[in-house]
Amino acid sequence: MCNGGKTFLQSVRDSALYKNPVLFEAVGLAPVAAMAVSLKSAIMLACVSCAELILIELFACLALRKVKSYFRMPIYAILGILINIPFFMFFEHFTPNEANAAGIFLPILAVNSLVALHCERFAVKNPFKSTFIDALSASAGYAFVTLTIGIVREILGSGTLYSEDLFLPVQLKGFLMPFGGFLLLGFLAAAVKGILQKKSPDAHPEQAFSMKEISQSHIGSLKSLIDTEFYPYGEDTDEAEKDAAPPRVKKEKKEKKAKRAKSEKGKKVRKAKSAKASDAVAAEAVQPSEPASSTAEEAAAPDRASRIQRENYLQDFDEMLTELDLYKQKQQDAPDESGAAQAENPSAEEQEAQIE
Amino acid sequence: MPKEVQTAADGRVFTPEMQADIKTTQKYMFNRILMLAAPALMAWYYYGGRALWVLAVAALFAMVCEYIGMRLVGAVPALRDLSAVVTGVTVAMLLPASSPIWVVLLAVSFAVLAVKVPFGTARTLLFSPAAAGVAFVTVSLPQYVFAYPVLPDGGASVAVYGSEGFSLGISMTQMLKTGTSMGSSPASYLDVLIGNVTGPMGAGCGIALLGALLFLAVRAKKGFTAAVSCLLAAALYALLFPRITTGRLQSVFMELSGGMLLFAALFLLPEEAILPKHFWGRVAYGAAAGLVTMLFRRFGAFEEGAVFAVLLCNALTSAFDKLPEARFETRAKRLARRKKREAQELAASPLTEQGGGADV
């Protein structure tokens, strides 16, 4: 979501608008529909949710990366409760009417699905700075929607704004009910989507919650690794450099090793043979471009051995990408493993033919 | 532009499929307008010129709302299918004739802009727009929706709610809510049948609505099924659990003829786009609507709950459609079916299993 190339403002805009947690990701709807019936209650809701989201996401990024996911969920709930309690006591003391009107929905923010989703999807897989930007922008998006809905519902439903009477001739109590909140959310989502599509037609806000983002992110990071100057098989590679690789890549490498151990030995032999054959062909194919690549690689890898090592590394990564695709396919077609296994061979051969 | 697309004079574009859809809907809506004609005529008879004024304004405003709404979403408005007119008139008929015009316009705008337009056209509805519009104003402004006027004398036009000549009447549903009977004299039964009672503008005259029921029986059998099952369910409930103490049959008569139940069964439930496809599905759909209406009347906050019952059943249409195919098995049969399926999977699995070294 937050790449190095994007500025801070672009990242905030992306999350707050194009990936708005309420309008497009459809999380945290119940508190907004049920609780945000006035500006005051919307402010309460926004404050508590933003504080929880920012603090818990940052904590998850710093301390919960290596914790199993089924342990992380209760930790989010406990942290949510710990953050919620002081806010609840504060609001109960200073705005008792609004706190009572909020009912169960203020305490239930402790287990808001928004927090769990952002932590699992982003915080435990990304560095601190990106996580902070994600938390900030999701909070901004959530607060924007909550405050807008609260203001509109208070004006239309109660004829007041921040408890100040606006002397409107009509008050539509229907908007104070949850169905009114859901209706307004729907229309707000449609309006925001229409405006965003006019401004940037290539963006697709409704795909903000696409699960492809999570699976594709692994491939994206692997591909970005290929483009960097990185020699995992080089003699000078230190343990520290290996440890510097993102945890996702290490985990995926372990999974791939486990899968390789399970698959038939014949496949490995065939792949090794085809890899050797393609080495010879790739070396010949790469020769004409040697002058161009050598100028770029001169400073880092002047010798031929390191170049061959890089080519081997690239081919290994191609195989890993292929296996990732197949693993994804297997997940989708869970019973039919043999069909996917049979598909592996042609696709590897096709790739090798392409290299040739 | 494709060859099969014909351009209208003002530049609007309708494909042949859209034109066929519009024609079909036009036919259906024309039937609905014919059904609404008799109750509208009786409304004019009892409430004077104001009734016709409210109906005309509601129909026009519904068309304007549909045009604006369809343009906003980038769709082509198809006003000639008459669905907007029917929606507007239906909403107005469910409200008192003395309602301020802005209440009627609010209900119509909600019905069209919030319920009809977001789901496309009259062929792709999920909820009855008229029911949703009336439900919205019922929840938001109940003091206007249930303020039924006393019938004016001598064909005079009814006064607007809150104005000088307005006097509040007591409707049948209000009497039922308080447990008051209408009296057992034949004159009172006749008054109810001919519509000489306080109530919604178009839902008062029983004879006109029974005529509409006959029309439904002849021209729209699917809707007739749902309507009759709704009325039968409501009648059965009223028979078993009367809210008055002067007799079960009188309870049935009052419950069926009072309020919006009869009108909702004839005009809101049989929406062609929303009706279940199977016969028993329609029966269940209508029966559920009738039963829920009676429950809302008995236990709800308002004296009338027909529109809420219709919306609830609209939401459950797909469930009613699946009812005829549902298998109500005993536990033993279900277990036996599961074992058979597992055995089949086990028999098939060795052929597809990918064995590692240990399995060979």
Side-chain angles (χ1 to χ4, degrees):
Chain A
M1 191 210 80
C2 179
N3 297 326
K6 285 189 182 175
T7 62
F8 174 76
L9 279 176
Q10 276 176 334
S11 302
V12 171
R13 185 197 69 183
D14 274 349
S15 269
L17 291 175
Y18 292 94
K19 295 180 183 180
N20 189 284
V22 184
L23 299 181
F24 303 128
E25 290 182 354
V27 285
L29 288 175
V32 176
M35 194 174 145
V37 293
S38 64
L39 182 55
K40 284 184 184 174
S41 57
I43 290 170
M44 280 164 49
L45 175 61
C47 287
V48 176
S49 300
C50 295
E52 281 181 12
L53 186 59
I54 292 171
L55 293 172
I56 297 176
E57 253 201 87
L58 294 178
F59 183 82
C61 176
L62 291 171
L64 299 182
R65 282 175 188 271
K66 303 205 175 177
V67 177
K68 298 276 183 200
S69 62
Y70 43 84
F71 283 131
R72 285 201 291 258
M73 294 298 179
I75 294 173
Y76 299 147
I78 292 166
L79 289 172
I81 292 167
L82 291 174
I83 296 167
N84 196 295
I85 289 173
F87 275 99
F88 183 74
M89 292 170 70
F90 175 83
F91 288 128
E92 229 187 6
H93 182 72
F94 288 102
T95 57
N97 292 334
E98 281 74 22
N100 284 335
I104 190 70
F105 291 99
L106 191 54
I108 218 169
L109 288 175
V111 288
N112 200 346
S113 54
L114 172 68
V115 171
L117 179 76
H118 275 261
C119 288
E120 287 299 297
R121 200 176 75 165
F122 200 85
V124 296
K125 296 172 184 172
N126 284 280
F128 183 83
K129 188 183 171 189
S130 306
T131 304
F132 178 70
I133 291 171
D134 176 72
L136 203 64
S137 42
S139 306
Y142 193 85
F144 161 70
V145 172
T146 308
L147 292 171
T148 308
I149 296 288
I151 289 169
V152 171
R153 286 173 87 183
E154 190 180 359
I155 291 172
L156 292 178
S158 310
T160 59
L161 184 63
Y162 206 78
S163 304
E164 295 295 327
D165 203 347
L166 298 176
F167 302 103
L168 295 176
V170 176
Q171 293 165 18
L172 302 172
K173 301 290 178 197
F175 284 110
L176 300 178
M177 297 194 177
F179 87 87
F182 279 115
L183 267 174
L184 285 173
L185 276 173
F187 282 113
L188 184 63
V192 169
K193 187 183 161 189
I195 292 168
L196 292 178
Q197 280 189 334
K198 271 186 187 171
K199 280 192 174 176
S200 34
D202 296 331
H204 297 285
E206 68 264 20
Q207 289 175 4
F209 196 43
S210 170
M211 295 305 289
K212 273 185 196 175
E213 190 188 73
I214 297 169
S215 59
Q216 290 290 337
S217 62
H218 304 313
I219 296 171
S221 66
L222 285 172
K223 283 186 176 169
S224 66
L225 275 173
I226 290 169
D227 294 333
T228 57
E229 300 289 333
F230 183 61
Y231 303 97
Y233 301 121
E235 291 173 8
D236 296 330
T237 305
D238 294 330
E239 288 299 315
E241 286 180 8
K242 283 183 188 170
D243 289 336
R248 264 187 301 179
V249 176
K250 282 189 200 171
K251 193 180 171 183
E252 284 157 6
K253 282 184 183 174
K254 282 183 192 170
E255 284 174 358
K256 280 180 208 102
K257 281 180 188 171
K259 278 175 215 161
R260 280 179 187 171
K262 280 183 189 175
S263 64
E264 290 172 15
K265 292 178 185 176
K267 270 191 236 170
K268 284 183 190 177
V269 171
R270 277 200 298 275
K271 276 179 192 170
K273 281 182 186 171
S274 59
K276 281 179 190 171
S278 63
D279 278 347
V281 173
E284 288 172 14
V286 165
Q287 273 173 6
S289 63
E290 269 181 19
S293 58
S294 65
T295 53
E297 293 176 11
E298 234 175 348
D303 56 338
R304 197 164 177 267
S306 61
R307 199 167 54 245
I308 292 170
Q309 276 179 2
R310 183 184 164 80
E311 284 157 19
N312 289 338
Y313 170 74
L314 286 170
Q315 279 161 18
D316 281 339
F317 262 91
D318 281 335
E319 286 170 12
M320 281 158 65
L321 288 175
T322 312
E323 285 191 358
L324 266 173
D325 285 330
L326 289 167
Y327 176 69
K328 207 170 65 169
Q329 188 64 36
K330 273 185 196 175
Q331 290 294 98
Q332 287 170 3
D333 307 329
D336 193 8
E337 288 185 9
S338 62
Q342 285 169 10
E344 274 183 23
N345 291 329
S347 62
E349 286 168 7
E350 276 175 11
Q351 284 198 344
E352 286 150 11
Q354 280 175 7
I355 292 166
E356 287 172 13
Chain B
M1 189 182 290
K3 282 183 195 171
E4 60 270 14
V5 171
Q6 296 177 19
T7 311
D10 57 354
R12 286 179 298 170
V13 169
F14 294 108
T15 61
E17 289 80 19
M18 283 169 70
Q19 286 175 351
D21 273 345
I22 290 169
K23 274 193 181 155
T24 313
T25 308
Q26 209 177 44
K27 247 195 233 177
Y28 171 73
M29 291 300 162
F30 193 66
N31 285 341
R32 292 276 296 273
I33 290 172
L34 282 178
M35 282 170 63
L36 283 166
L41 206 64
M42 296 312 292
W44 167 73
Y45 178 78
Y46 285 112
Y47 298 104
R50 178 157 175 91
L52 284 183
W53 161 246
V54 168
L55 291 174
V57 168
L60 274 170
F61 193 68
M63 291 171 76
V64 168
C65 287
E66 173 146 340
Y67 185 85
I68 293 170
M70 295 298 254
R71 282 289 187 206
L72 275 176
V73 300
V76 179
L79 296 177
R80 62 184 184 180
D81 65 2
L82 302 178
S83 57
V85 172
V86 169
T87 302
V89 170
T90 310
V91 167
M93 296 276 252
L94 284 168
L95 295 172
S98 56
S99 304
I101 200 73
W102 60 269
V103 173
V104 179
L105 297 183
L106 183 67
V108 166
S109 60
F110 187 88
V112 175
L113 293 174
V115 181
K116 189 164 183 284
V117 166
F119 295 105
T121 60
R123 277 81 60 195
T124 53
L125 292 173
L126 284 184
F127 296 97
S128 170
V134 175
F136 176 70
V137 289
T138 302
V139 168
S140 303
L141 305 162
Q143 67 273 24
Y144 292 101
V145 171
F146 297 116
Y148 301 116
V150 170
L151 293 178
D153 298 321
S157 192
V158 70
V160 179
Y161 175 78
S163 66
E164 208 176 295
F166 176 81
S167 48
L168 193 65
I170 299 174
S171 65
M172 198 84 74
T173 45
Q174 212 175 347
M175 288 163 67
L176 284 162
K177 196 90 177 167
T178 53
T180 312
S181 171
M182 67 179 200
S184 52
S185 67
S188 46
Y189 284 94
L190 192 63
D191 280 338
V192 171
L193 281 173
I194 62 173
N196 194 17
V197 287
T198 304
M201 180 165 47
C205 183
I207 290 175
L209 293 175
L210 285 172
L213 183 66
L214 273 171
F215 186 95
L216 209 58
V218 171
R219 298 294 290 263
K221 292 186 174 57
K222 291 182 183 177
F224 178 73
T225 312
V228 165
S229 52
C230 172
L231 294 172
L232 283 175
L236 188 62
Y237 184 94
L239 193 70
L240 294 173
F241 307 104
R243 289 194 281 169
I244 53 172
T245 53
T246 51
R248 292 176 188 270
L249 288 177
Q250 196 174 65
S251 162
V252 171
F253 183 80
M254 284 181 75
E255 296 277 13
L256 289 184
S257 55
M260 302 175 193
L261 173 63
L262 189 53
F263 192 93
L266 293 171
F267 295 99
L268 301 183
L269 268 184
E271 283 276 1
E272 208 173 87
I274 310 169
L275 268 182
K277 294 176 182 50
H278 296 107
F279 172 78
W280 290 111
R282 286 194 294 275
V283 169
Y285 171 76
L291 180 64
V292 173
T293 301
M294 299 306 290
L295 289 173
F296 270 123
R297 278 182 173 184
R298 193 181 190 100
F299 301 108
F302 305 114
E303 62 189 61
E304 180 58 78
V307 289
F308 304 112
V310 166
L311 291 173
L312 191 62
C313 290
N314 289 163
L316 298 171
T317 296
S318 56
F320 288 125
D321 243 338
K322 286 178 190 165
L323 266 180
E325 297 162 4
R327 278 183 277 193
F328 298 102
E329 295 173 324
T330 59
R331 192 161 175 266
K333 276 189 186 170
R334 207 163 45 240
L335 281 170
R337 206 158 49 89
R338 194 190 298 169
K339 278 186 185 169
K340 192 179 168 186
R341 195 174 64 233
E342 282 170 5
Q344 281 172 354
E345 280 170 10
L346 271 172
S349 60
L351 296 171
T352 57
E353 193 178 327
Q354 207 180 34
D359 291 332
V360 175

